[in-house]
């Protein structure tokens, strides 16, 4: 049986929602470039992460760094940025507002 990666954060539910972002469509976690750990959001990383945040450089957008909280599929950064706010594997909706924070995770 497939085991999902560990997602560290504050009040994380099964679909990776956290204390900070918990609408129905808040269902992704991001593997942070700096520490390689999954967190639901930058605020959870600030609270519990490595304290050394860095963004994914464009030349590494092929890396699997996004976890769909609905189906557990790991997406590459490129797949995520090109997915039009839904998982290309299970079609679960992602929060389109997350694009407002992409500069906190990815080189833009």
């Amino acid at each position: 049986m497939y085991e999902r990666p560990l997602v560290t954060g504050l009040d994380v539910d099964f679909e990776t929602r956290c204390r900070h972002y918990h609408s129905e469509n808040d269902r992704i976690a991001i593997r942070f470039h700096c520490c390689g750990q999954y967190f639901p959001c930058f605020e959870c990383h600030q609270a519990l992460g490595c304290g050394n945040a860095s963004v994914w450089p464009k030349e590494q957008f092929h890396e699997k760094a996004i976890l769909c909280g609905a189906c557990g599929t790991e997406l590459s950064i490129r797949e995520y940025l090109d997915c039009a706010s839904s998982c290309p594997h299970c079609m679960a909706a992602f929060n389109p507002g997350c694009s407002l924070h992409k500069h906190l995770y990815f080189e833009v």
Side-chain angles (χ1 to χ4, degrees):
M1 180 173 188
Y2 174 73
E3 191 170 317
R4 288 176 181 235
L6 174 67
V7 177
T8 302
L10 299 170
D11 304 324
V12 180
D13 74 8
F14 185 74
E15 287 197 342
T16 75
R17 294 174 193 92
C18 68
R19 177 183 299 175
H20 309 104
Y21 297 95
H22 45 80
S23 76
E24 182 181 340
N25 291 343
D26 289 317
R27 61 169 56 96
I28 65 158
I30 300 106
R31 183 167 60 90
F32 274 70
H33 179 257
C34 46
C35 58
Q37 293 182 299
Y38 274 103
F39 290 88
C41 73
F42 68 95
E43 292 179 77
C44 284
H45 182 262
Q46 283 179 327
L48 303 171
C50 67
N52 210 13
S54 64
V55 298
W56 284 95
K58 288 180 182 178
E59 56 272 3
Q60 292 183 3
F61 281 12
H62 63 280
E63 294 282 338
K64 301 271 186 195
I66 308 299
L67 178 68
C68 173
C71 69
T73 297
E74 290 182 279
L75 307 173
S76 73
I77 297 163
R78 178 56 44 217
E79 288 174 307
Y80 172 69
L81 293 175
D82 292 344
C83 77
S85 297
S86 65
C87 177
H89 185 259
C90 74
M91 304 313 290
F94 297 152
N95 186 338
C98 290
S99 66
L100 299 173
H101 304 139
K102 67 182 174 185
H103 66 282
L104 297 170
Y105 310 106
F106 316 118
E107 184 180 336
V108 291

